[in-house]
């Protein structure tokens, strides 16, 4: 470093310490000026990407240099700038929240790159690439050594999150991988003849142990996985269909399933897909690649089979169930029909346009509904009809609730009428009708001068009519639960219990039925002894009947980090604990976040808000803890007296809790 560089660096440090008005942005500009004047342009790099966060006032050369950097992963679709447009792009250091970074904008002013400094050391440790104004890919230096060790995809690019442990540019494992993207990875492994890429998709021995399968199933699965790598290599050596022109097109499967704990000796629920198919194409025709069985491990879907090409008449059996699946055939037996393929291409085109920030979303949502309606009409199997009806209802109702499809409710009612006319589509009318009811209620309460009471009454009446019309559908169970919850919230516990009981008795084996049964139990807790136990977020055992908590009044609060009323109740519970410090009032939280990381992050940030133990169980609102007591909304508060009997059970913190607890104390009863 020459004398000028030393002087400016010292000046930056002194100004940073002496004046809080001297911003990080300005200090970065000065440091860049020092490098520019002393050595000319020298944009620091490490392993092919920018690492130094510094910028000059006249930055055309730096913009060009920054735009020369490419993602380390090959399959990234991102905005690239033509040579003629590079001089028209601009760059500046901008702050987003607490993070500053080099932002590159295209000639229209749209962001196309962001090289950020996450930890404030004035070196880039996060490289973001954009497509049509949306971030689609990010490289992360999590250990701040100027080498990327994580790669994430966002927005329309999916949700993959890969880890590069040795920082060599190749993904070694996955932190997040959807079932759809797993099949994409399989196709890419085949296309590139990359055995390592395939191997990291297979269930590992450690992951297999974590599933908690019974010994027989575990042994069978271990043997199956053991053979998969060899089967993959054998498939590569013999197949002549998949080449460098082959591309992943679509994902195909029935809905995922769960094998509950205690099945064949298992100790945990196992989530799986069976008979998964990836549609692949080379520009001339499409074929089906059988990917087989998938298992969910944390947030990553994993393989247990080697892929193989589908052939006419092939029937695949499942590993967990006896369900069979026959690949769909066209009239000539080569793959998807020309009509369906054309519609799928149209659908993909609409979906792509919907990702644009300047899209006419109302018009495009209407176009998507048109294509999906045609796909329903073109379907000739129950599986296909169900798939496209569900997608029509789900996408239209979602667009209604986001305010992006004003005519959406009309379209739902129209498609329900159309489906009702044909025998093959009539079984799926209820799915559309149920979502139309919810969408109509949402529209009613979203009006500027909404009459909430009137909207609620109409909604409940619609749900009751739905139950009467479609009593044996899965959505009928959902409707019963919603009616029961509304009654519970309004204080009509008798009516709530009746509706919960209907759902529990009519759908005893479904998850909703089990939750309804739990809700009946919860409504009748008062006066009963409740022995509550579980494991805390730190992995320690908690038991209300243990010596530590016995003979003490105990408040149990069910909460989640996304629940704002829960946080408000925590403040009141903290004060209640202080008020009853002499009586040693205990409080325990039961966190129902889907991901325990969210709970840990919240508790770390709010150390004094809820300084009591917090029980956690995987599954969130669908966990056994939530299901056994029918926790349908949050927060829920349960209070035990010194004998372990329930003296209060309610949806929110109650101002009466103080007197309820005081009246239950032994000293007050004498």
């Amino acid at each position: 470093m020459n004398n000028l560089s030393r002087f400016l660096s010292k000046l930056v440090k002194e100004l940073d310490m002496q004046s809080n008005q001297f911003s990080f942005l300005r200090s970065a500009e000065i440091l860049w000026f020092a490098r520019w004047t002393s050595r000319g342009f020298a944009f620091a790099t490490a392993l092919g990407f920018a690492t130094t966060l510094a910028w000059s006032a006249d930055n055309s050369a730096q913009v060009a240099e920054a735009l020369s950097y490419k993602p380390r992963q090959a399959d990234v679709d991102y905005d690239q700038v033509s040579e003629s447009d590079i001089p028209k792009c601009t760059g500046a250091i901008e702050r987003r929240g607490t993070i500053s970074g080099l932002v590159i904008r295209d000639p229209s002013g749209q962001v196309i790159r962001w090289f950020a400094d996450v930890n404030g050391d004035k070196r880039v440790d996060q490289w973001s690439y954009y497509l049509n104004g949306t971030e689609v890919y990010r490289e992360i230096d999590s250990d701040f050594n100027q080498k990327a060790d994580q790669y994430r995809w966002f927005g329309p690019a999916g949700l993959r999150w890969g880890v590069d442990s040795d920082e060599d540019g190749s993904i070694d494992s996955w932190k997040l991988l959807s079932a759809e993207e797993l099949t994409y990875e399989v196709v890419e492994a085949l296309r590139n003849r990359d055995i390592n890429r395939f191997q990291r998709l297979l269930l590992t021995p450690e992951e297999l142990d974590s599933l908690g399968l019974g010994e027989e199933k575990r042994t069978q699965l271990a043997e199956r996985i053991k053979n998969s790598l060899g089967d993959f290599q054998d498939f590569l050596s013999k197949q002549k269909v998949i080449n460098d022109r082959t591309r992943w097109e679509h994902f195909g499967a029935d809905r995922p399933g769960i094998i509950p704990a205690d099945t064949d000796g298992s100790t945990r629920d196992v989530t799986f897909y069976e008979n998964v198919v990836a549609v692949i194409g080379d520009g001339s025709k499409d074929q089906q690649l059988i990917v087989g069985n998938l298992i969910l491990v944390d947030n990553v879907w994993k393989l247990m089979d080697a892929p193989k090409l589908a052939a006419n008449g092939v029937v695949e059996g499942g590993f967990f169930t006896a369900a069979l699946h026959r690949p769909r055939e066209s009239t000539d037996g080569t793959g998807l029909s020309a009509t369906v393929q054309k519609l799928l291409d149209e659908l993909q085109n609409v979906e792509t346009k919907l990702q644009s920030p300047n899209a006419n979303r109302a018009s495009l949502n209407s176009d998507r509904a048109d294509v999906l309606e045609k796909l329903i009409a073109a379907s000739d199997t129950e599986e296909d009809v169900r798939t496209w009806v569900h997608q029509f209802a789900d996408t239209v109702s979602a667009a209604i609730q986001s305010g992006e499809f004003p005519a959406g409710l009309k379209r739902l009612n129209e498609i329900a009428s159309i489906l009702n006319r044909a025998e093959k589509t009539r079984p799926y009318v209820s799915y559309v009708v149920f979502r139309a009811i919810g969408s109509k209620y949402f529209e009613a309460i979203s009006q500027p001068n909404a009459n909430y009471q009137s909207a609620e009454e109409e909604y409940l009446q619609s749900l009751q009519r739905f139950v009467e019309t479609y009593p044996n559908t899965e959505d009928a169970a959902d409707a019963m639960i919603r009616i029961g919850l509304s009654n519970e919230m309004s204080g009509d516990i008798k009516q709530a219990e009746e509706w919960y009981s209907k759902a529990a008795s009519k759908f005893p084996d479904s998850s909703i039925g089990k939750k309804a049964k739990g809700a009946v139990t919860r409504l009748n807790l008062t006066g009963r002894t409740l022995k509550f136990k579980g494991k805390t977020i730190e992995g320690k055992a908690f038991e209300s009947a243990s010596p530590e908590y016995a003979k003490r009044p105990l408040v149990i609060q069910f909460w989640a980090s996304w629940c704002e009323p829960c946080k408000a109740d925590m403040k009141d519970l903290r004060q209640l604990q202080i008020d009853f410090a002499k009586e040693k009032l205990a409080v325990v939280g039961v966190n129902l976040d889907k991901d325990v990381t969210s709970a840990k992050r919240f508790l770390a940030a709010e150390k004094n808000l809820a300084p009591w133990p917090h029980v956690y169980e995987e599954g969130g609102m669908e966990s056994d803890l939530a299901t056994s007591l029918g926790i349908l909304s949050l927060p829920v508060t349960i209070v035990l007296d010194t004998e372990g009997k329930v003296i209060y059970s309610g949806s929110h913190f109650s101002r009466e809790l103080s007197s309820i607890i005081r009246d239950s104390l032994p000293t007050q009863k004498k």
Side-chain angles (χ1 to χ4, degrees):
M1 181 180 291
N2 63 19
N3 291 335
L4 176 61
S5 294
R6 291 192 186 94
F7 169 76
L8 288 172
S9 294
K10 182 178 179 182
L11 175 63
V12 167
K13 292 178 182 178
E14 290 176 352
L15 287 173
D16 274 337
M17 291 187 289
Q18 296 176 15
S19 172
N20 56 17
Q21 296 179 352
F22 189 78
S23 68
F24 164 74
L25 184 153
R26 186 61 185 154
S27 54
E29 288 176 351
I30 290 178
L31 284 173
W32 178 263
F33 179 73
R35 295 188 182 95
W36 181 273
T37 55
S38 62
R39 291 195 296 261
F41 175 71
F43 200 90
T45 63
L47 295 180
F49 45 78
T51 60
T52 302
L53 185 60
W55 210 243
S56 70
D58 180 15
N59 56 25
S60 57
Q62 295 96 303
V63 169
E65 184 74 8
L67 288 174
S68 71
Y69 299 117
K70 310 295 183 185
R72 301 185 82 189
Q73 300 305 307
D75 52 347
V76 179
D77 183 17
Y78 64 102
D79 284 324
Q80 301 188 54
V81 182
S82 66
E83 289 290 335
S84 60
D85 279 341
I86 288 178
K88 303 174 187 176
C89 295
T90 59
I93 295 178
E94 298 182 13
R95 182 180 293 274
R96 298 181 179 181
T98 60
I99 301 175
S100 292
L102 302 177
V103 175
I104 310 295
R105 297 178 184 273
D106 68 11
S108 70
Q110 189 165 265
V111 176
I112 53 177
R113 305 286 188 279
W114 185 39
F115 296 161
D117 171 23
V118 174
N119 66 341
D121 65 354
K122 298 182 177 65
R123 296 185 73 83
V124 176
D125 37 51
Q126 185 169 286
W127 299 262
S128 297
Y129 295 80
Y130 287 71
L131 180 66
N132 299 323
T134 300
E135 184 180 3
V136 291
Y137 172 76
R138 179 185 301 176
E139 296 180 350
I140 302 166
D141 171 21
S142 66
D143 56 5
F144 307 114
N145 68 347
Q146 283 74 64
K147 297 179 182 179
D149 50 53
Q150 296 182 21
Y151 311 99
R152 295 194 66 177
W153 284 257
F154 298 98
L159 49 75
R160 285 177 292 166
W161 186 348
V163 177
D164 180 5
S165 302
D166 54 10
E167 300 177 338
D168 66 349
S170 177
I171 293 173
D172 301 310
S173 62
W174 293 99
K175 290 185 68 171
L176 190 62
L177 189 66
S178 68
E180 294 85 349
E181 289 165 310
L182 171 62
T183 64
Y184 166 83
E185 286 291 318
V186 171
V187 174
E188 287 299 293
L190 287 168
R191 193 171 70 86
N192 295 289
R193 306 184 68 81
D194 190 337
I195 295 173
N196 291 331
R197 189 167 186 168
F198 172 78
Q199 187 170 12
R200 63 175 172 256
L201 302 174
L202 284 171
L203 198 67
T204 67
E206 294 77 17
E207 290 167 339
L208 176 57
D209 290 340
S210 74
L211 293 175
L213 294 174
E215 188 58 34
E216 183 179 354
K217 277 292 184 185
R218 186 196 175 286
T219 301
Q220 292 173 357
L221 185 50
E223 185 65 23
R224 192 160 178 162
I225 296 168
K226 179 182 176 182
N227 295 330
S228 293
L229 190 59
D231 292 343
F232 179 80
Q233 293 173 309
D234 186 58
F235 178 78
L236 269 182
S237 66
K238 295 179 180 178
Q239 71 85 25
K240 300 184 183 299
V241 174
I242 299 170
N243 52 51
D244 58 4
R245 297 188 305 277
T246 303
R247 292 293 183 270
W248 179 92
E249 300 286 351
H250 303 288
F251 170 88
D254 287 331
R255 67 185 69 186
I258 289 181
I259 296 296
D262 300 326
T263 301
D264 298 326
S266 63
T267 59
R268 294 180 57 185
D269 290 355
V270 177
T271 304
F272 65 93
Y273 268 112
E274 292 188 328
N275 307 307
V276 172
V277 171
V279 178
I280 57 176
D282 61 3
S284 60
K285 69 174 183 178
D286 287 342
Q287 286 190 300
Q288 296 187 56
L289 180 74
I290 298 176
V291 179
N293 299 265
L294 312 184
I295 297 177
L296 183 63
V297 181
D298 295 328
N299 294 314
V300 178
W301 284 93
K302 302 301 292 276
L303 284 174
M304 53 185 283
D305 301 298
K308 53 187 172 183
L309 289 170
N312 293 338
V314 171
V315 176
E316 289 291 310
F319 178 77
F320 288 106
T321 70
L324 299 178
H325 169 79
R326 183 182 300 274
R328 291 172 290 216
E329 302 171 14
S330 65
T331 54
D332 61 3
T334 60
L336 298 173
S337 70
T339 300
V340 171
Q341 183 58 60
K342 181 181 178 182
L343 291 172
L344 289 174
D345 292 340
E346 289 180 22
L347 182 61
Q348 183 61 50
N349 184 43
V350 175
E351 294 285 2
T352 301
K353 289 180 180 178
L354 277 166
Q355 301 301 326
S356 171
N358 301 317
N360 183 336
R361 307 190 74 78
S363 176
L364 287 170
N365 276 307
S366 179
D367 292 343
R368 178 168 60 184
D370 290 341
V371 178
L372 289 170
E373 186 174 331
K374 292 175 183 176
L375 280 165
I376 294 170
S379 299
D380 55 7
T381 69
E382 290 183 5
E383 177 189 349
D384 289 345
V385 173
R386 180 177 64 249
T387 296
W388 298 121
V389 169
H390 283 205
Q391 189 162 338
F392 184 103
D394 292 340
T395 55
V396 171
S397 59
I400 292 170
Q401 295 187 30
S402 64
E404 297 175 346
F405 197 4
L409 184 58
K410 180 182 177 183
R411 289 300 300 267
L412 286 175
N413 290 329
E414 287 175 349
I415 197 69
S417 178
I418 292 171
L419 295 175
N420 206 32
R421 296 172 192 163
E423 185 176 349
K424 76 170 184 177
T425 55
R426 195 169 297 127
Y428 310 104
V429 174
S430 63
Y431 192 88
V432 178
V433 172
F434 187 69
R435 277 128 197 95
I437 291 172
S439 298
K440 184 177 182 181
Y441 174 62
F442 181 85
E443 282 193 342
I445 63 175
S446 300
Q447 300 304 314
N449 300 312
N451 185 329
Y452 295 102
Q453 182 176 350
S454 175
E456 179 76 10
E457 289 174 355
E458 184 177 352
Y459 177 56
L460 292 176
Q461 290 171 4
S462 297
L463 290 177
Q464 290 182 42
R465 287 195 296 271
F466 181 87
V467 172
E468 293 168 0
T469 308
Y470 308 102
N472 299 315
T473 62
E474 290 182 10
D475 288 323
D478 198 345
M480 292 176 185
I481 283 278
R482 293 175 189 233
I483 298 169
L485 181 59
S486 178
N487 285 317
E488 183 182 349
M489 291 296 188
S490 64
D492 193 341
I493 303 303
K494 182 179 178 182
Q495 278 292 310
E497 185 176 349
E498 286 184 10
W499 281 104
Y500 292 150
S501 296
K502 286 180 183 178
S505 62
K506 192 167 184 62
F507 303 92
D509 298 323
S510 70
S511 59
I512 292 180
K514 292 174 182 177
K515 200 136 197 171
K517 181 180 179 181
V520 173
T521 299
R522 175 171 50 79
L523 292 181
N524 290 279
L525 281 177
T526 303
R528 298 185 179 185
T529 299
L530 177 64
K531 293 183 179 180
F532 182 79
K533 60 182 180 179
K535 283 195 173 182
T536 67
I537 286 175
E538 294 78 18
K540 298 179 181 178
F542 176 90
E543 191 166 353
S544 61
S546 67
E548 184 180 358
Y549 294 98
K551 305 300 179 182
R552 296 172 60 183
L554 173 66
V555 179
I556 305 170
Q557 187 207 28
F558 291 81
W559 67 280
S561 61
W562 45 261
C563 170
E564 292 303 320
C566 296
K567 300 168 189 176
D569 280 7
M570 284 175 176
K571 295 179 181 178
D572 291 324
L573 289 174
R574 179 64 178 136
Q575 185 58 51
L576 192 70
Q577 191 177 40
I578 294 171
D579 293 344
F580 284 94
K582 184 178 178 181
E583 291 78 12
K584 298 182 178 180
L585 174 68
V587 180
V588 60
V590 183
N591 177 261
L592 296 181
D593 277 303
K594 187 71 174 177
D595 181 3
V596 71
T597 305
S598 301
K600 289 180 176 178
R601 188 183 301 119
F602 169 77
L603 292 172
E606 301 287 350
K607 293 180 180 179
N608 298 320
L609 182 60
W612 42 74
H614 293 273
V615 171
Y616 180 83
E617 186 176 80
E618 289 185 5
M621 293 291 287
E622 303 305 317
S623 65
D624 288 342
L625 282 173
T627 298
S628 61
L629 289 174
I631 306 299
L632 304 169
S633 68
L634 295 175
V636 167
T637 304
I638 297 172
V639 183
L640 310 183
D641 66 10
T642 57
E643 301 301 320
K645 290 184 178 180
V646 177
I647 55 175
Y648 175 84
S649 175
S651 299
H652 282 279
F653 177 87
S654 170
R655 297 299 171 189
E656 301 172 353
L657 279 187
S658 226
S659 58
I660 291 173
I661 293 172
R662 195 173 302 282
D663 290 344
S664 73
L665 295 172
T667 54
Q668 298 295 318
K669 295 178 180 179
K670 291 180 181 178

